[in-house]
Each structure stands twice: as structure tokens, then as C-alpha cells.
Amino acid sequence: MYHYAGNNPVKYTDPDGKNIDDVPSDTQQSAASDEYLGTSKKITIREQGCTLTTFYRMAKVLGYEGSLADANQVALDNNLFDYCKDDDAYTLLSPKNGAALVTALCAKDGYTVMYDSHASGNATDMAKAINKKENTPVRFFATARLKSGHSVSINGNSVIANDITDISNALGVKYNDTSSRGRQNSNEDAPVRVDFFKVMQDNWARRK
């Protein structure tokens, strides 16, 4: 069923019913420097919280009003972080666990977000996969993994591009980066993987 502006028309606009606009540009830099990522007591969200931030932005699109630090704590409480050998701490979020985090953050609104699939390889293959998702009636989020290992939202409001002209943004240098200026994408740091996340909502489960 179609829901105008994610059922939040005061906060968002949705002129064509495909894409929610004017989502706040929250970044991992909005986290205080002393807020640690996962179970680490050395690495802060500000430094390496890009993956957490991409899932947090999805939740924001669906109406989540908590902070990035709150989302970090929910991931901890639900044991969603995976172990990272390099960090010697639980700081990694798999696509499946990231989707589970968004679902947990948006539970009161009856949303379920599920990891659906991914596309990797060259830009043409990824563009084809994006276009295929565009032409389905199901709503999707999409994120990109860069060659450097950095995670970004596929466009400015974390929602999949909704027409063919947006593919250049998704696979070029104009997709939305969620970290500091120093880590923002460049021509050399191209996407190597795009992940797709299916969004479902149980209207009968909605509770405000």
C-alpha cells in the first residue's frame, strides 16, 4: 500500500510517491568524539562508524527520532555487531544484522527491513541491478561499499534512486557520504558492491 512521505508529511515530502525528500543529512560526525563504536573502547563512531551510519539513516527515513549513539546502543543490546579481528572488538555490521537494526529502531511503526540481495563487479552490472530494483513495486533501500571499504548511502536520502538518471549518482561520485570530509569519496574510491534492502510495513501493527 502507498504511504505518502513515509506517513510523516510534516517532516518529509514525496512528490511522485517513489522517493522521500528532505531527509536530514545526519552523518557519523554528528556523534560526539567520546562515543565508541560497538564494544570498542578505542574506536569512535566519528572515526569508523560509516556502516552504522548508513543503517541509521535508513531508520531516519522511516521516522526514527533517536540519535546515532542511541542506534549504536540498540545494536549492542541486540548483539548485532560482529567481531572485527583488526579492532579486537565487536564493531562490524553485516547487511543482515544492519537490516535487523533498522527493524529494531522502527519497530513501533511496524516496519521490517530485510537484506535482499547485492550486486558487485563492474559499474554496468551494478547499474543493471539498480535499474531492475527500480522497476519493482516493492520499496528498497540501497547502500554502496567502496573500494576502500567505506560504506555510503546510495543517494542523498538513503532511498534507492528512482529513475535511470540517478544511476550516475549511485555509481559515480555524487552519492551521499556519511562521514567526515576527509573520508568522502573520490574518483579513485569507486563502488565495488551495492546492497539492497527490502522495506515492508504491517499497517495493523502500527502504534504511535
Side-chain angles (χ1 to χ4, degrees):
M1 185 177 291
Y2 167 57
H3 301 286
Y4 178 82
N7 283 323
N8 197 342
V10 174
K11 189 173 183 181
Y12 307 129
T13 62
D14 187 4
D16 61 4
K18 297 179 180 180
N19 208 15
I20 298 174
D21 296 328
D22 298 327
V23 176
S25 57
D26 300 281
T27 75
Q28 70 190 61
Q29 296 302 76
S30 65
S33 59
D34 61 350
E35 292 167 351
Y36 293 110
L37 178 64
T39 62
S40 174
K41 298 304 178 186
K42 299 180 295 183
I43 298 167
T44 65
I45 298 174
R46 182 188 297 268
E47 293 169 328
Q48 295 187 29
C50 58
T51 304
L52 172 66
T53 306
T54 57
F55 292 115
Y56 167 73
R57 286 173 57 80
M58 290 183 194
K60 293 284 282 185
V61 169
L62 298 178
Y64 178 64
E65 297 180 350
S67 69
L68 185 51
D70 293 336
N72 184 60
Q73 188 60 52
V74 171
L76 281 169
D77 293 343
N78 288 275
N79 298 313
L80 295 176
F81 283 111
D82 293 320
Y83 182 74
C84 177
K85 184 177 179 180
D86 291 340
D87 298 343
D88 190 25
Y90 289 83
T91 56
L92 300 178
L93 274 173
S94 67
K96 181 178 178 180
N97 285 358
L101 173 60
V102 180
T103 298
L105 296 177
C106 301
K108 73 178 182 66
D109 291 317
Y111 283 107
T112 299
V113 176
M114 297 180 64
Y115 173 63
D116 179 77
S117 60
H118 75 273
S120 58
N122 60 45
T124 299
D125 291 339
M126 287 186 281
K128 287 179 179 178
I130 293 170
N131 192 46
K132 185 177 180 179
K133 294 296 184 187
E134 290 172 350
N135 291 308
T136 67
V138 180
R139 184 178 179 189
F140 284 91
F141 286 117
T143 64
R145 193 74 170 174
L146 305 187
K147 186 166 55 178
S148 66
H150 187 41
S151 293
V152 295
S153 300
I154 207 166
N155 67 356
N157 58 14
S158 300
V159 183
I160 188 169
N162 66 349
D163 65 62
I164 195 71
T165 61
D166 290 335
I167 287 181
S168 61
N169 292 350
L171 301 178
V173 297
K174 295 181 181 179
Y175 43 75
N176 190 74
D177 196 299
T178 54
S179 75
S180 66
R181 184 177 299 278
R183 291 188 66 189
Q184 287 186 3
N185 49 285
S186 67
N187 286 314
E188 290 73 38
D189 198 3
V192 295
R193 174 186 172 115
V194 175
D195 290 306
F196 300 102
F197 301 87
K198 185 183 297 184
V199 182
M200 296 168 286
Q201 186 179 26
D202 179 1
N203 293 324
W204 297 104
R206 286 179 56 82
R207 295 291 184 271
K208 290 292 187 180

